[in-house]
């Protein structure tokens, strides 16, 4: 019998699990005693590993793109051919013509893809963190110089913006929430819908979709005008308070009541509860990352934490970690020339995420001895996804002609899905590194069989946000020819003459190199978490060295340095023709984003994509439970199964994210296994009107209009 520690990455809760093996049988339980039970998804790992839809050999498409006539090839052949095609693209179009979308937490090798890209000379990296935590990270950085982490142990007031947590929906935080509530903490939940979490709240504010910034601005108004703020912290540690005070005067609770639909008295009451707490927290939530007012919304949250005196009390700002080769250090951003950095797509229109935005922190970092570029969440220096897809499609401002989808279902996990499909069709090379034949992989020229979490040894975390090193050990061997991502990168690097920058023969040698600074090796350390020293705990690595209530970074990039409110709404749309407001989300327990729908026991629990609609619309549309409904926006249409739900506000629709049917035929002519028939990305535009002004993040949360039509039969 043996015991190993393994991290499940079937979702981004990244649960640490204890695996016990007896007679070849592995049992899993949570390693952390605070997590009372493991969610059922992790137990499905063997079915996932052995599934008939698992990709187990390198595949080459010998038909047209999207036709999926697959031929098995050897690893040597596939790496030779890809390397040769990359050289061709670089020679003809320049290295910047290579784009990559990656979710490193899914494959376990943070930093290594950036290193590869930096060495070949392309800045055009994107990650789905653009819609999840990444933009929060940029705004936190602009305000505090680094990311804040909520300290749950002390929290006496918790403010949630649309988070819905459960034992299968981010259980790590769910169990923290439950124990905080048990010891008497108050929960303020802001959600238009009555969710499971909202029903636990002391104050549930049923806000109008997409209007959170109005509420937050008026909270700041109340906190300042009623002198509820921490005068000492503000005087000693912040920059721009007087300007902020002037700005928020127009955002009175009466004004906000009209904008967000919450009455002025409730706004005042909840502002006082938040400001009057000993240790309030506003934990990260994805709602702020997917709004048209995203930057202002997140700025307001950052400002509230600071002026109410919670920074480094219940909201911790660690700064970058030292004493270990972090993902950012491994990435080697100095290997990419300034000339190539300047070509990063998005630098002109949405620079906060890009190298240009990041350059503002160099002096402050230098002062604390950090001379490399710290990339907080694997996306602090990335290209703007809609601008990259446009360059792939339209070859403007220059052509991008080769694209890698690395453990990311790219066509489904951004907006304007058809636009991304068109972008793929205009490529000279498309490579997918995958576990299954995802809709994205169906459009690839080469599909590379990746290993899964149970099969690899992983040094984590993949994102440089917390000052720790973690270890996850394999509990099974990779099936057939599945390989880890480092094997692919190393194989390509050797073929492209970059062996010097990738001297580590395999992933263990790479782990040992990274652990060297800690005097540890992979073989001696597994099974533990090693805490790291934060380089700048208590310091603010902003240009002014203060918490910037007025952002000098936003200002120097040409934006409003203070938060403001912008009404959502689709320009030029006839609201009588498109009477509903839609949002994407309300995550489903038995699946994760676009994943796991091929696992039988999970799929049985949620077999179809559900449209939540208030029963008050029943008669008008001749609608019944389980009717198939066509939902259309000005961009596209999808088909969903109706679920009449009286907690879904009238006039609004919930659109699920990530639906395709892995069991269905593949390829473009078969709707990419129904991805083009069901996924939310078909409905949401990535044109400027639907983007946050500062960071260019797509609004998936309120404001986009839709119409519905009940279908007699579902299209097959
Ligand atoms: N339209 C739209 N886009 C969204 C969102 C939305 O709500 N709507 N949500 C956003 C959010 S919150 C997030 S977190 C991101 C998520 O973005 P991602 O985490 O990239 O999730 P997916 O796009 O589902 O793609 C994951 C892919 O990786 C594959 N995969 C999983 N594990 C492994 C592995 O171990 N190895 C390899 N090689 N492949 C693996 C899966 O088969 C799957 O195809 O998407 C964002 N994008
Ligand atoms: N089982 C499972 N667990 C998951 C995931 C999964 O796919 N499956 N996904 C994981 C990922 S990547 C993420 S990011 C998280 C996301 O998880 P959550 O943060 O909980 O987000 P959602 O479930 O998408 O949406 C939750 C609520 O947001 C509300 N909402 C929508 N628009 C607005 C708005 O404009 N303002 C406010 N205040 N509320 C709004 C909706 O009514 C909905 O009830 O879940 C994670 N956990
Ligand atoms: S919540 Fe479930 S699927 Fe997500 S990491 Fe934890 S065990 Fe895995
Ligand atoms: Mo997410």
């Amino acid at each position: 019998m043996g015991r190993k520690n393994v991290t499940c990455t079937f979702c981004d809760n990244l649960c640490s699990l204890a695996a016990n093996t007896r007679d070849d049988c592995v049992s899993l339980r949570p390693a952390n005693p605070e997590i009372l039970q493991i969610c059922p998804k992790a137990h499905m790992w063997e079915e996932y590993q052995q599934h008939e839809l698992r990709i187990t050999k390198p595949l080459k498409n010998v038909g047209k793109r999207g036709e999926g006539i697959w031929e098995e090839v050897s690893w040597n052949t596939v790496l030779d051919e890809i390397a040769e095609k990359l050289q061709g693209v670089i020679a003809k179009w320049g290295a910047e013509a290579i784009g990559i979308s990656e979710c490193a937490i899914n494959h376990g090798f943070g930093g290594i893809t950036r290193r590869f890209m930096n060495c070949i000379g392309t800045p055009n990296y994107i990650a789905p963190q653009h819609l999840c935590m990444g933009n929060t990270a940029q705004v936190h950085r602009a305000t505090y110089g680094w990311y804040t982490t909520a300290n749950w142990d002390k929290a006496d007031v918790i403010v949630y913006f649309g988070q819905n947590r459960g034992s299968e929906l981010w259980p790590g935080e769910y169990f923290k929430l439950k124990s905080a509530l048990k010891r008497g903490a108050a929960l303020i939940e802001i959600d238009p819908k009555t969710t499971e979490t909202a029903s636990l709240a002391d104050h549930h504010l049923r806000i109008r979709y997409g209007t959170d910034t109005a509420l937050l601005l008026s909270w700041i108004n109340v906190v300042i005008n009623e002198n509820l703020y921490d005068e000492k912290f503000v005087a000693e540690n912040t920059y721009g308070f007087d300007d902020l005070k002037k700005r928020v005067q127009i955002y009175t609770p009466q004004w906000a009541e009209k904008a967000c639909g919450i009455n002025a008295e409730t706004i005042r009451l909840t502002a006082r509860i938040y400001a009057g707490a000993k240790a309030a927290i506003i934990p990260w939530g994805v709602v702020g990352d997917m709004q048209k007012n995203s930057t202002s919304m997140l700025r307001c949250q950052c400002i509230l934490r600071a002026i109410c005196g919670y920074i480094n009390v219940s909201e911790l700002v660690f700064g970058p970690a030292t004493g270990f080769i972090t993902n950012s250090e491994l990435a080697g951003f100095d290997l990419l020339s300034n000339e190539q950095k300047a070509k990063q797509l998005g630098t002109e229109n949405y620079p906060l995420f890009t190298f240009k935005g990041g350059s503002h922190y160099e002096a402050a970092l230098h002062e604390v001895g950090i001379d490399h570029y710290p990339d907080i969440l694997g996306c602090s220096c990335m290209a703007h996804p809609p601008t990259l897809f446009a360059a792939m499609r339209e070859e403007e401002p220059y052509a991008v002609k080769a694209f890698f989808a690395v453990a990311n279902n790219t066509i489904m996990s951004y907006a304007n899905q058809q636009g991304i499909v068109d972008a793929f069709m205009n490529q000279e090379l498309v490579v997918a590194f995958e576990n299954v034949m995802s809709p994205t992989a169906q459009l690839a020229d080469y599909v590379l069989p990746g290993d899964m979490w149970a099969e690899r040894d992983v040094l984590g975390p993949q994102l440089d946000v917390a000052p720790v090193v973690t270890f996850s050990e394999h509990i099974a061997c990779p099936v057939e020819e599945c390989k880890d991502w480092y094997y692919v990168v190393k194989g390509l690097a050797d073929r492209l003459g970059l062996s010097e920058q990738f001297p580590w023969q395999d992933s263990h040698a790479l782990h040992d190199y990274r652990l060297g600074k800690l005097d540890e090796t992979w073989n001696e350390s597994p099974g533990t978490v090693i805490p790291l020293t934060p380089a700048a705990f208590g310091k603010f690595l902003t240009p002014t060295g203060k918490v910037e209530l007025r952002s000098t970074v936003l200002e120097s990039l040409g934006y409003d340095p203070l938060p403001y409110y912008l009404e959502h709404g689709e320009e030029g749309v006839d609201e009588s023709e498109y009477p509903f407001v839609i949002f994407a989300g309300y995550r489903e327990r038995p699946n994760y984003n676009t994943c796991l729908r091929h696992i039988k026991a999970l799929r049985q629990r949620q077999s179809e994509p559900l449209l939540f609609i208030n029963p008050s619309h029943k008669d008008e549309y001749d609608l019944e439970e389980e009717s198939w409904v066509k939902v259309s926006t000005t961009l596209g249409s999808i088909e969903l199964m109706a679920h009449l739900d009286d907690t879904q506000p009238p006039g609004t629709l919930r659109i699920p994210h990530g639906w395709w049917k892995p069991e269905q035929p593949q390829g473009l002519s078969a709707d990419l296994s129904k991805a083009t028939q069901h996924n939310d990305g078909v409905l949401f535009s990535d044109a400027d009107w639907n983007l946050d002004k500062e960071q260019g993040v797509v609004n998936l949360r309120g404001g986009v209009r839709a119409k519905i039509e009940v279908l007699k039969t579902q299209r097959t």
Side-chain angles (χ1 to χ4, degrees), residues 43 45 55 126 161 163 174 177 208 224 298 339 353 390 439 456 461 470 487 518 520 528 552 572 575 631 671 704:
H43 289 303
W45 72 270
I55 294 163
I126 58 170
F161 285 85
Q163 285 98 322
Y174 174 69
L177 171 69
R208 273 206 302 130
I224 293 181
L298 299 166
E339 191 193 341
F353 263 105
R456 59 182 167 242
T470 60
Y487 173 88
L518 287 165
E520 301 280 358
T528 54
T552 60
E575 294 192 2
V631 182
D671 278 345
V704 174

Side-chain angles (χ1 to χ4, degrees), residues 113-225:
T113 307
R114 289 315 297 260
R115 185 177 187 87
F116 178 70
M117 296 177 79
N118 290 336
C119 289
I120 60 176
T122 175
N124 288 323
Y125 177 89
I126 58 170
Q129 288 97 296
H130 193 250
L131 286 170
C132 187
M133 215 184 242
N135 35 1
T136 300
Q138 303 321 309
V139 173
H140 282 217
R141 178 175 264 183
T143 316
Y144 318 118
W146 196 252
Y147 196 76
T148 42
T149 305
N151 182 358
W152 280 84
D153 298 342
K154 290 193 172 182
D156 59 348
V157 170
I158 299 145
V159 186
Y160 261 172
F161 285 85
Q163 285 98 322
N164 188 26
R165 302 287 178 244
S167 60
E168 293 178 70
L169 295 160
W170 265 34
E173 197 168 289
Y174 174 69
F175 289 113
K176 285 183 193 161
L177 171 69
K178 291 282 271 191
S179 68
L181 295 180
K182 206 168 159 191
R183 52 158 214 271
L187 173 65
I188 302 173
E189 170 84 67
I190 297 128
D191 193 315
K193 184 176 174 354
T194 307
T195 60
E196 296 79 350
T197 304
S199 60
L200 300 174
D202 301 84
H203 302 273
H204 174 202
L205 277 49
R206 294 193 79 183
I207 198 163
R208 273 206 302 130
Y209 286 107
T211 61
D212 303 74
T213 313
L215 170 70
L216 280 156
L217 284 162
S218 71
W219 272 356
I220 300 176
N221 171 301
V222 174
V223 167
I224 293 181
N225 290 345

Side-chain angles (χ1 to χ4, degrees), residues 296-340:
S296 278
M297 174 171 169
L298 299 166
R299 291 267 300 135
C300 287
Q301 294 180 341
C302 287
I303 286 168
L304 277 167
R305 291 185 188 101
I307 64 174
C308 296
Y310 299 128
I311 295 301
N312 294 330
V313 175
S314 46
E315 304 270 13
L316 309 177
V317 183
F318 291 110
T322 55
F324 172 64
I325 308 283
T326 57
N327 300 299
S328 314
E329 219 171 327
L330 182 66
F333 289 105
D334 52 340
L335 295 164
L336 185 67
S337 70
N338 286 338
E339 191 193 341
Q340 288 306 98

